[in-house]
């Protein structure tokens, strides 16, 4: 049987990680990526079509004869990429638009959780004419959590102890979006659970923890994620089982009732209080970035087999196996990230090969990288790349990821020095 043709949509560290796994699969004969980055160009044929260009992606999938399309980011899914691929008979890993709305609208996600009886923070929906002061009073005593109901690339949430700041963000959001959510504050530690699901079942991948703030000690502005590690010990077996019983099974059940089953990965953002009873902070309809980079390598089962099965409601036929090592990744961010990253600078010290050190292995995941006209590696985005490693202990993987990043040069760049501090 000829090798399968796979198209990966997106161009970040997550998509480089997906391409690395798919390239390794004995089933995959041809790998394409749109738009990809410098890293994916060594593994796949890159095509200059952005993830937002759904028409372009459909044309490309047809032209290359894709057997499977793997959607990295949420935007094309919210814009009906999976629906339109289904209409032309091409399987897609990633849900149809109606289900992608779990990420597209935070209010919709809250309503679904309410309907499915899934634990999440209490909330008010505020719009023109709402009694904002009464709502603020309702959740007083803790920081206020205000969430815009739009895809805002991580910039739509304000958590503040300052009532004036909360009120003013509520008012401006109502003006621009028509409505806004005010949520009860949940104390605890955050973790990410990636759950692959389809109409036949679901598979929970080992839970990870991301570091969303730009600077050490979880200080500074929110980012897309500055580093992550897996498995995260805060998700004990008991917490994991609670999450399955109270969140994942009810969500899977709820989504089964949809016209088209959820075929893809549901990213469950958890808040774990001291009691160990997890709550949902957010859903995403895609792999996390950088969580993907450190979660996929823990799969012993061929990743193509898993993604393809989930795109065809055959997940329940697979017996998915995991490695028992640990992984960590540290993101190298451009000067000025996240506010205004400087792009176009040369990057030195990045190799293609994986590096072996005792029982540990390290590799670079490219994110915002490309080539200049001379073919030199340059940065093209805020998060340039992430240095990843696996090892027999979390400490070993973290140590090797740092050894790797210390040898990479990008003028003005910064990275966090404390990835995995909560677990170490
Ligand atoms: P979200 O985009 O919904 O994930 O929110 C961004 C970040 O805000 C989360 O990663 C949390 O750190 C924080 N956050 C969101 N909702 C809450 C909440 N109800 N209680 C405490 N922190 C929250
Ligand atoms: N790292 C967080 C996210 O992908 O949403």
């Amino acid at each position: 049987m000829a090798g399968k043709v796979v198209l990966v949509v997106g161009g970040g560290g997550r998509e480089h990680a997906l391409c690395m796994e798919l390239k390794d699969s004995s089933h995959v004969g041809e790998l394409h990526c749109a738009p990809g980055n410098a890293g994916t160009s060594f593994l796949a044929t890159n095509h200059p079509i952005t993830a937002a260009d759904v028409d372009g992606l459909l044309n490309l999938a047809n032209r290359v004869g894709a057997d499977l399309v793997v959607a990295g980011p949420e935007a094309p899914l919210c814009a009906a990429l999976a629906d339109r691929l289904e209409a032309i008979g091409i399987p897609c890993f990633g849900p149809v638009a109606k289900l992608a709305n779990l990420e597209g609208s935070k209010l919709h996600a809250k309503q679904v959780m309410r309907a499915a009886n899934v634990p999440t923070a209490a909330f008010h929906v505020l719009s023109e004419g709402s009694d904002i002061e009464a709502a603020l009073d309702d959740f007083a005593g803790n920081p206020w959590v205000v969430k815009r109901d739009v895809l805002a690339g991580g910039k739509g949430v304000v958590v503040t102890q300052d009532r004036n700041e909360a009120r003013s963000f509520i008012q401006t959001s109502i003006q621009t979006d028509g409505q806004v959510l005010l949520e009860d504050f949940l104390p605890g530690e955050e973790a990410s659970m990636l759950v692959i699901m389809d109409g036949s079942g679901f598979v929970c991948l080992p839970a990870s923890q991301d570091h969303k703030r730009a600077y050490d000690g979880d200080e500074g502005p929110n980012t897309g994620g500055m580093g992550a590690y897996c498995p995260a010990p805060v998700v004990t077996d008991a917490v994991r089982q609670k999450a399955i019983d109270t969140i994942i099974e009810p969500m899977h059940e709820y989504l089964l009732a949809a016209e088209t089953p959820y075929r893809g990965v549901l990213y469950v953002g958890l808040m774990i209080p001291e009691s160990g009873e997890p709550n949902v902070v957010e859903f995403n309809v895609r792999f996390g970035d950088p969580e993907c980079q450190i979660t996929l390598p823990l799969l012993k089962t061929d990743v193509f087999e898993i993604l393809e099965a989930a795109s065809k409601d055959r997940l329940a036929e697979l017996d998915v196996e995991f490695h028992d090592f640990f992984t960590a990744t540290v993101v190298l961010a451009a000067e000025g990230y996240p506010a205004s990253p400087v792009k176009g600078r040369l990057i030195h010290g990045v190799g293609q090969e994986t590096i072996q050190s005792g029982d540990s292995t390290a590799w670079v995941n490219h994110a915002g990288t490309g080539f200049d006209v001379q073919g030199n590696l340059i940065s093209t985005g805020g998060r340039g790349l992430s240095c990843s490693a696996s090892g027999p202990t979390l400490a070993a993987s973290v140590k090797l990821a740092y050894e790797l990043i210390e040898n990479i040069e990008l003028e003005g760049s910064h990275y966090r020095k404390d990835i995995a501090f909560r677990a170490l």
Side-chain angles (χ1 to χ4, degrees):
M1 193 181 61
K4 301 281 186 177
V5 179
V6 183
L7 168 61
V8 174
V9 175
R14 166 181 52 210
E15 288 76 20
H16 187 218
L18 283 161
C19 284
M20 285 174 92
E21 296 293 332
L22 291 167
K23 186 75 185 173
D24 261 1
S25 167
S26 58
H27 303 286
V28 177
E30 238 183 78
L31 192 55
H32 297 268
C33 194
N37 57 35
T40 65
S41 76
F42 297 111
L43 308 168
T45 306
N46 279 352
H47 300 267
I49 298 168
T50 67
D53 178 4
V54 174
D55 288 332
L57 293 170
L58 283 163
N59 271 333
L60 176 64
N62 254 328
R63 187 150 53 78
V64 300
D67 295 300
L68 175 68
V69 173
V70 179
E74 68 285 2
L77 296 169
C78 291
L81 176 66
D83 311 58
R84 293 180 62 190
L85 285 168
E86 191 182 16
I88 56 172
I90 299 178
C92 178
F93 181 84
V96 294
K98 199 168 162 220
L99 304 182
N101 208 25
L102 278 176
E103 177 166 358
S105 163
K106 288 184 185 291
L107 175 56
H108 173 69
K110 293 299 256 189
Q111 287 162 341
V112 167
M113 283 188 266
R114 201 175 252 176
N117 200 20
V118 162
T120 187
F123 66 101
H124 289 290
V125 186
L126 303 172
S127 56
E128 202 60 54
S130 297
D131 189 343
I132 295 175
E133 297 309 323
L136 288 169
D137 285 345
D138 214 14
F139 297 143
N142 280 316
W144 287 280
V145 180
V146 187
K147 296 187 177 179
R148 290 181 61 198
D149 190 29
V150 291
L151 274 181
K155 297 198 179 76
V157 178
V158 163
V159 181
T160 179
Q161 313 240 28
D162 179 345
R163 188 171 177 123
N164 292 330
E165 190 190 355
R167 181 190 303 110
S168 121
F169 191 63
I170 290 171
Q171 286 163 339
T172 52
S173 302
I174 292 175
Q175 271 163 21
T176 51
D177 312 332
Q179 59 185 9
V180 69
L181 288 169
L182 178 68
E183 270 191 32
D184 201 3
F185 179 83
L186 298 167
E189 205 176 314
E190 284 181 80
S192 314
M193 266 182 101
L194 301 175
V195 186
I196 298 188
M197 53 170 77
D198 69 7
S200 73
F202 63 84
V203 178
C204 296
L205 306 187
S208 56
Q209 193 167 59
D210 177 24
H211 296 263
K212 285 193 177 133
R213 300 296 187 126
Y215 312 129
D216 286 6
D218 286 339
E219 301 285 336
N222 242 329
T223 71
M226 294 297 290
Y229 61 99
C230 190
V234 63
V235 181
T236 59
D237 287 347
V239 170
R240 183 184 160 85
Q241 196 54 51
K242 270 256 148 56
I244 291 172
D245 295 344
T246 65
I247 298 166
I248 292 151
E249 271 180 352
M251 279 305 292
H252 185 245
E253 190 78 10
Y254 179 90
L255 292 168
L256 275 182
E259 205 177 315
T260 308
Y262 191 103
R263 299 181 184 127
V265 57
L266 184 68
Y267 170 127
V268 185
L270 296 174
M271 186 68 84
I272 304 155
E274 266 173 31
S275 70
E277 309 267 340
N279 268 276
V280 176
V281 174
E282 64 165 339
F283 287 127
N284 295 318
V285 297
R286 49 169 176 82
F287 286 109
D289 186 340
E291 290 96 327
C292 183
Q293 289 89 307
I294 41 99
T295 307
L296 293 185
L298 290 176
L299 283 162
K300 204 185 268 183
T301 307
D302 186 307
V303 169
F304 172 81
E305 286 177 19
I306 300 173
L307 304 184
E308 191 205 30
S311 75
K312 297 180 172 173
D313 291 331
R314 292 202 341 252
L315 207 47
E317 294 168 23
L318 289 187
D319 182 15
V320 176
E321 291 185 291
F322 301 94
H323 293 292
D324 59 5
F325 47 69
F326 294 80
T327 49
T329 194
V330 185
V331 168
L332 187 75
E335 179 175 351
Y337 178 77
S340 46
V342 179
K343 299 174 190 172
R345 285 189 178 149
L346 289 173
I347 306 177
H348 299 285
V350 176
Q352 285 312 301
E353 64 287 350
T354 56
I355 297 155
Q356 202 65 39
S357 169
D359 294 338
S360 301
T361 307
W363 65 92
V364 172
N365 287 116
H366 286 248
T369 63
F371 299 106
D372 66 10
V373 283
Q374 284 93 35
N376 299 306
L377 187 67
I378 55 166
S379 69
T380 60
R383 291 189 290 176
L385 41 86
S386 56
C387 290
S388 309
S390 64
T393 62
L394 186 57
S397 67
V398 170
K399 183 166 174 280
L400 195 58
Y402 276 110
E403 278 174 28
L404 188 57
I405 208 165
E406 278 155 16
N407 287 307
I408 292 174
E409 283 170 46
L410 167 62
E411 190 194 328
S413 61
H414 59 101
Y415 60 88
R416 279 185 59 161
K417 311 288 190 300
D418 64 347
I419 296 306
F421 75 93
R422 285 207 173 79
L424 295 172

